[in-house]
Amino acid sequence: MRIDTLITDARIASMVPGDTPYGVIEDGAIAISGNTISWVGERRDAPTAFENAYSLEGRWVTPALIDCHTHLVFAGDRSDEYERRLAGESYAEIAKSGGGIAKTVEATRQANSAQLAAAALRRLEALAEEGVGTVEIKSGYGLTIDSELTMLKAARGAGIASGMRVSPTLLAAHSIPREYQGRSGAYIDEVCIPLVRQAAQEGLADAVDAYCEGIAFSPEETRRLFIAAKAAGLPVKLHADQLSDSGGARLVAEFGGLSADHVEYTSDDGLQAMAEAGTVAVILPGAFYSIGETQKPPVARMRELGVPMAVSTDSNPGSSPMVSLLTAANMACTLFGFTVEEAVAGMTREAARALGLQDKLGTIETGKIADLAVWDIERPAELVQWIGRRPLHGRILEGEWV
């Protein structure tokens, strides 16, 4: 096989599970053919025939980071809600008074795809500076067929402009729009399910998500949506058990879902269902912190059951105004008891699993896409320990330095 690039003098945190923490290769090399890793191992065993070689001069290399739950496409501002929460109002109270998601919906409906993509691009650039190569972006601030499709197209456009891999998720079942108040079931049947079919036919979405909660959609309504998604060939994921135990984690696991996200209030039955289905728990400490939640996700029990755990920013204009995945990882350790290795895996290997991309991304091993992040650090714990530091030396995406 022709080797286009050989990377040498690398300290590799491959994140391949095994006996070695972080899957470390201390004096390693990586061969890249086209956009694919064709060999990885100790430098002394590296291939000798290659087109180009780069020495990392002892720097660390990890898989490029993956932010697997974001709402980066939106218009408008909700900084007033921050002040309202500081004054004592809850997230649910603000939502019921017309704030929250509804306020962002109003602004987003007035923006076109180019405007939405340009705004999202600025947020993607902040993530890129932290070594992120892949980002999931949800719709859910349009809540009409046309505006939801516009959001999905904006997500694709922002990904192309940024050079990053963007995985769009259809989240039309995010909130009940004002024109369907009191008729949430009709909204699912008349807007969300037709959207699932159209987004699948046009290749605009990689997955379908919903918000299953007392202030949003019931388990029965979510089930109807998931049945339609499965019929359309799209995998499902779910905002599950964030504010109460609605049975969301158990429901998404029943459908073989990619992930259950938030999971602060998930019951033990739900956790066991996730473990059996291989459904990833996406932990979102930014939202926990921002809305002043006190119920922590059951990390120790998930670890005991073998539930895969990813970490993400949940970047959005209201409940998690965060564009720092490294900070989210720090919070997962400090607030929820993650180990550093779990946090790094949560931004790489398990985040890839949460997007259904584990066969392509998330570890440094033969056959995976050559998406890498190179760091000026002494050991991997620095990535999680520091807040506000961005020790990125550079990224390699699809085998090319960017």
Side-chain angles (χ1 to χ4, degrees), residues 101-401:
I101 294 169
K103 184 176 180 182
T104 301
V105 168
E106 184 177 355
T108 302
R109 285 180 174 182
Q110 297 174 15
N112 61 38
S113 181
Q115 292 168 329
L116 292 172
L121 181 60
R122 294 192 293 271
R123 299 161 196 142
L124 284 171
E125 289 169 349
L127 291 172
E129 291 175 4
E130 292 195 345
V132 175
T134 297
V135 181
E136 185 254 23
I137 300 180
K138 303 178 189 295
S139 67
Y141 292 130
L143 310 186
T144 66
I145 290 176
D146 287 344
S147 56
E148 287 290 301
L149 294 174
T150 295
M151 288 190 70
L152 293 173
K153 292 172 183 176
R156 291 282 195 205
I160 293 170
S162 69
M164 299 168 74
R165 181 177 293 97
V166 165
S167 179
T169 294
L170 176 62
L171 180 59
H174 192 195
S175 181
I176 304 165
R178 59 181 180 272
E179 58 268 28
Y180 277 92
Q181 287 300 312
R183 299 187 301 122
S184 56
Y187 174 67
I188 292 289
D189 295 334
E190 296 172 10
V191 177
C192 297
I193 290 176
L195 262 170
V196 166
R197 295 169 181 152
Q198 186 168 350
Q201 289 171 357
E202 297 184 19
L204 293 175
D206 295 340
V208 172
D209 195 354
Y211 189 20
C212 185
E213 193 58 73
I215 60 173
F217 298 94
S218 71
E220 293 75 19
E221 290 163 344
T222 304
R223 179 181 294 277
R224 294 209 305 275
L225 180 70
F226 282 1
I227 290 171
K230 285 295 188 179
L234 290 175
V236 298
K237 56 182 72 175
L238 188 65
H239 286 61
D241 309 328
Q242 178 186 13
L243 305 175
S244 64
D245 180 15
S246 65
R250 185 170 57 252
L251 174 61
V252 72
E254 177 187 333
F255 282 82
L258 295 173
S259 68
D261 303 30
H262 291 290
V263 298
E264 281 91 337
Y265 287 85
T266 297
S267 68
D268 202 67
D269 284 347
L271 297 179
Q272 292 186 51
M274 290 173 63
E276 292 171 6
T279 298
V280 178
V282 178
I283 306 301
L284 304 170
F288 174 92
Y289 171 83
S290 294
I291 69 174
E293 183 56 76
T294 57
Q295 176 84 13
K296 297 182 180 181
V299 167
R301 181 59 173 155
M302 289 191 285
R303 184 184 295 132
E304 180 181 339
L305 291 170
V307 176
M309 296 184 292
V311 179
S312 185
T313 61
D314 190 15
S315 184
N316 72 70
S319 63
S320 189
M322 172 189 287
V323 286
S324 173
L325 184 55
L326 296 180
T327 301
N330 174 282
M331 294 169 75
C333 293
T334 303
L335 298 177
F336 299 152
F338 269 51
T339 68
V340 172
E341 187 172 2
E342 285 173 335
V344 178
M347 298 185 290
T348 54
R349 184 180 69 236
E350 306 306 345
R353 187 180 304 278
L355 298 181
L357 296 174
Q358 66 269 27
D359 292 337
K360 299 178 179 180
L361 300 170
T363 57
I364 300 175
E365 56 186 318
T366 301
K368 295 290 184 76
I369 294 173
D371 277 14
L372 309 171
V374 180
W375 307 96
D376 290 313
I377 56 175
E378 292 299 319
R379 55 196 309 269
E382 283 188 58
L383 295 177
V384 177
Q385 175 199 13
W386 285 86
I387 298 174
R389 183 182 175 212
R390 290 177 165 174
L392 183 71
H393 177 75
R395 293 177 303 155
I396 297 171
L397 301 183
E398 298 270 355
E400 300 287 340
W401 284 93

Side-chain angles (χ1 to χ4, degrees), residues 41-62:
E42 295 186 3
R43 181 172 56 156
R44 66 187 180 189
D45 299 324
T48 56
F50 44 82
E51 295 293 319
N52 301 291
Y54 293 102
S55 170
L56 295 188
E57 300 176 340
R59 293 183 175 88
W60 280 92
V61 58
T62 69

